[in-house]
Amino acid sequence: MGSFNEGPASEGGLDSPAEGSRAGAMTPPARPVRQLLAASVGNAVEWYDWYTYTFLATYIAAQIFPMGAANSLVPLLSTFAVFAVGFFMRPVGGLLMGAVADRRGRRAALTVTILLMGGSSLLVGLTPTYAAAGILAPVVLVLARLLQGLSVGGEFAASTTFLVESAGPGRRGLFSSFQYVSTTIGQLVASGVAAVLVANLAPATMGSWGWRVPFVLGALLSLVGFWVRRGARETLPQALDSVRAGETPVEKQAKASRPGLFEALRRHPRESLLICGITAGGTLAYYTWTSYLPTYAELNAGVGKADALLAGTLSLTFFALLQPLAGILSDRIGRKPLLLTFGIGFAALIVPLLRSLDDSFVTLLLVQCAGMILLSGFTAVSAAVNAETFPARVRAAGIGFPYSLTVALFGGTAPYVGTLFKDMGHAGLFPVYVAVLCLVSSAVYFRLPETAHGPLER
């Protein structure tokens, strides 16, 4: 945060002493609504593509990983593709695309990530079946999933930085909240498109080619996101200076002083660990409540699958509406009160909330919405808190790698840890696990300096 980033100008990445003298508040670019749309529309498309794969995984498996295939590599590749590849590549994407954002500019990274996601989505949609191409089919699908993970990891690093740097004074929390507004919209659209296709196409049609339609649609939507982002204004001061100078010694000096790939980790190890601590409890709670809770309710409370899916959809809509309200609140009272309310509240209430589940749809919906209110204390402000932790020079890469690594370790494993506890006959230990990690993050929140009302470091 601000107190962690003090130091000489050479470490801050400023191009000259004159530049160092004006370090401090970043001047947000004009057209804030266009900036907000550029980040949000693209992010929604990214997550639409990501979640579409999840919703249609059973159809993909039937075509690409047939049961009883003679080649033993097929089931192995299937397991690897579905459960590991995407999350494995997210930290790599956070590091690489974060470095692009810090070296070439936020807009450059945002255009790369959305084109990468669009291309990988199209690749999924055009993947040949195992019957037609043999082992090549799962190999192509794994490659597409690798690219999707790379894109999603890079998207968070670039869009988080871009959103917060685009905000005017006193609006960083509001702009930050749109990170999860757009993520949730992408998830809801993916779910809706999949549901419409399943409801209107015969099972045989859905299995043969219907499942490919959402991926081709995602590729087309990526072009829309690309067009919106191309019209956005750059927010990285060094990139703006280089563009204005053209091919001059100033540009050459700017290129020479661009940060290295691991500079954020090397020069800011404390801040990198801080991102991990901020994220751990929040990402576990997020994936538990938005992805695993319907399954948990089915396995442990006897809730019907249709009721669980409907409750999940309604609660996600409620969650998206909460984000801007929580973001605005954080701009007024600060980030720490919301983070502590989330961390301590979730730790204290998750066990009674989950124990209160029964086979009632209404009970599940109320429990999910109650958790969403607490969770908003983390999701609405996490982008702002992360961005306020690093100086502009290494902000994207500094956020991208530790955040995505923590998500992979704790958020991505939430459904599997919960299922593992259930299989071991100790389902009640899972909410305790979530509570403990939320308490760990709360200890980090308690020690954070408040940065909501200060300038964003240049």
Side-chain angles (χ1 to χ4, degrees), residues 44-88:
V45 172
E46 289 264 351
W47 286 98
Y48 164 85
D49 289 337
W50 176 264
Y51 279 113
T52 294
Y53 182 92
T54 303
F55 292 131
L56 298 174
T58 55
Y59 295 100
I60 296 170
Q63 291 291 309
I64 312 301
F65 306 108
M67 295 296 293
N71 193 322
S72 61
L73 285 177
V74 174
L76 177 62
L77 283 172
S78 175
T79 303
F80 182 57
V82 175
F83 297 114
V85 168
F87 279 101
F88 171 76

Side-chain angles (χ1 to χ4, degrees), residues 122-211:
L122 183 62
L123 189 59
V124 174
L126 299 179
T127 299
T129 64
Y130 185 81
I135 192 68
L136 179 63
V139 168
V140 170
L141 188 62
V142 168
L143 175 61
R145 196 61 173 167
L146 280 167
L147 295 176
Q148 284 191 324
L150 188 73
S151 176
V152 166
E155 172 68 19
F156 185 87
S159 64
T160 291
T161 305
F162 180 82
L163 270 173
V164 178
E165 290 176 350
S166 295
R171 303 177 73 183
R172 293 200 301 266
L174 171 62
F175 273 53
S176 166
S177 70
F178 277 84
Q179 181 72 31
Y180 277 90
V181 171
S182 54
T183 296
T184 305
I185 289 174
Q187 184 175 358
L188 288 170
V189 173
S191 174
V193 170
V196 168
L197 287 172
V198 170
N200 290 278
L201 295 180
T205 303
M206 191 67 195
S208 62
W209 59 265
W211 64 269

Side-chain angles (χ1 to χ4, degrees), residues 26-386:
M26 291 185 66
T27 302
R31 302 185 299 171
V33 174
R34 180 63 182 263
Q35 298 290 101
L36 197 60
L37 283 174
S40 300
V41 171
N43 195 51
V45 172
E46 289 264 351
W47 286 98
Y48 164 85
D49 289 337
W50 176 264
Y51 279 113
T52 294
Y53 182 92
T54 303
F55 292 131
L56 298 174
T58 55
Y59 295 100
I60 296 170
Q63 291 291 309
I64 312 301
F65 306 108
M67 295 296 293
N71 193 322
S72 61
L73 285 177
V74 174
L76 177 62
L77 283 172
S78 175
T79 303
F80 182 57
V82 175
F83 297 114
V85 168
F87 279 101
F88 171 76
M89 287 301 293
R90 285 178 66 169
V92 179
L95 181 63
L96 294 179
M97 291 297 104
V100 171
D102 289 333
R103 290 173 63 85
R104 301 290 180 181
R106 318 309 190 200
R107 191 178 68 172
L110 288 172
T111 54
V112 170
T113 57
I114 198 163
L115 289 177
L116 193 61
M117 180 58 83
S120 57
S121 181
L122 183 62
L123 189 59
V124 174
L126 299 179
T127 299
T129 64
Y130 185 81
I135 192 68
L136 179 63
V139 168
V140 170
L141 188 62
V142 168
L143 175 61
R145 196 61 173 167
L146 280 167
L147 295 176
Q148 284 191 324
L150 188 73
S151 176
V152 166
E155 172 68 19
F156 185 87
S159 64
T160 291
T161 305
F162 180 82
L163 270 173
V164 178
E165 290 176 350
S166 295
R171 303 177 73 183
R172 293 200 301 266
L174 171 62
F175 273 53
S176 166
S177 70
F178 277 84
Q179 181 72 31
Y180 277 90
V181 171
S182 54
T183 296
T184 305
I185 289 174
Q187 184 175 358
L188 288 170
V189 173
S191 174
V193 170
V196 168
L197 287 172
V198 170
N200 290 278
L201 295 180
T205 303
M206 191 67 195
S208 62
W209 59 265
W211 64 269
R212 300 179 185 273
V213 173
F215 294 103
V216 176
L217 176 61
L220 295 175
L221 290 175
S222 294
L223 295 178
V224 176
F226 172 76
W227 175 77
V228 174
R229 286 183 167 180
R230 287 289 294 172
R233 296 284 297 275
E234 181 56 64
T235 63
L236 179 65
Q238 292 89 336
L240 280 171
D241 292 342
S242 296
V243 169
R244 290 168 185 153
E247 293 293 334
T248 68
V250 174
E251 183 184 25
K252 294 178 181 178
Q253 181 184 359
K255 289 181 178 178
S257 66
R258 283 170 179 164
L261 186 61
F262 297 101
E263 182 172 327
L265 293 173
R266 189 178 69 253
R267 293 196 176 186
H268 303 276
R270 187 180 182 185
E271 288 85 345
S272 298
L273 289 174
L274 198 61
I275 295 294
C276 295
I278 292 169
T279 305
T283 189
L284 178 59
Y286 173 77
Y287 278 94
T288 297
W289 229 249
T290 63
S291 299
Y292 180 60
L293 188 56
T295 302
Y296 182 92
E298 290 177 50
L299 294 174
N300 297 282
V303 177
K305 188 173 185 63
D307 283 345
L309 290 174
L310 178 58
T313 300
L314 293 176
S315 64
L316 279 173
T317 304
F318 175 66
F319 180 64
L321 295 174
L322 284 176
Q323 300 310 298
L325 301 178
I328 291 171
L329 183 62
S330 80
D331 284 330
R332 294 192 175 186
I333 69 173
R335 321 290 187 222
K336 285 183 67 173
L338 271 73
L339 288 171
L340 287 169
T341 298
F342 152 70
I344 296 172
F346 222 90
L349 295 177
I350 184 172
V351 172
L353 280 174
L354 292 185
R355 285 183 177 174
S356 68
L357 288 173
D358 51 33
D359 59 359
S360 166
F361 164 78
V362 173
T363 301
L364 174 58
L365 181 61
L366 290 176
V367 166
Q368 282 202 278
C369 289
M372 294 298 193
I373 293 173
L374 292 171
L375 187 58
S376 295
F378 167 77
T379 55
V381 305
S382 62
V385 173
N386 289 342

Side-chain angles (χ1 to χ4, degrees), residues 437-458:
L437 210 57
C438 286
L439 284 177
V440 171
S441 286
S442 295
V444 177
Y445 305 151
F446 184 76
R447 294 181 61 85
L448 288 176
E450 182 58 73
T451 57
H453 308 301
L456 186 65
E457 186 172 351
R458 184 178 169 88

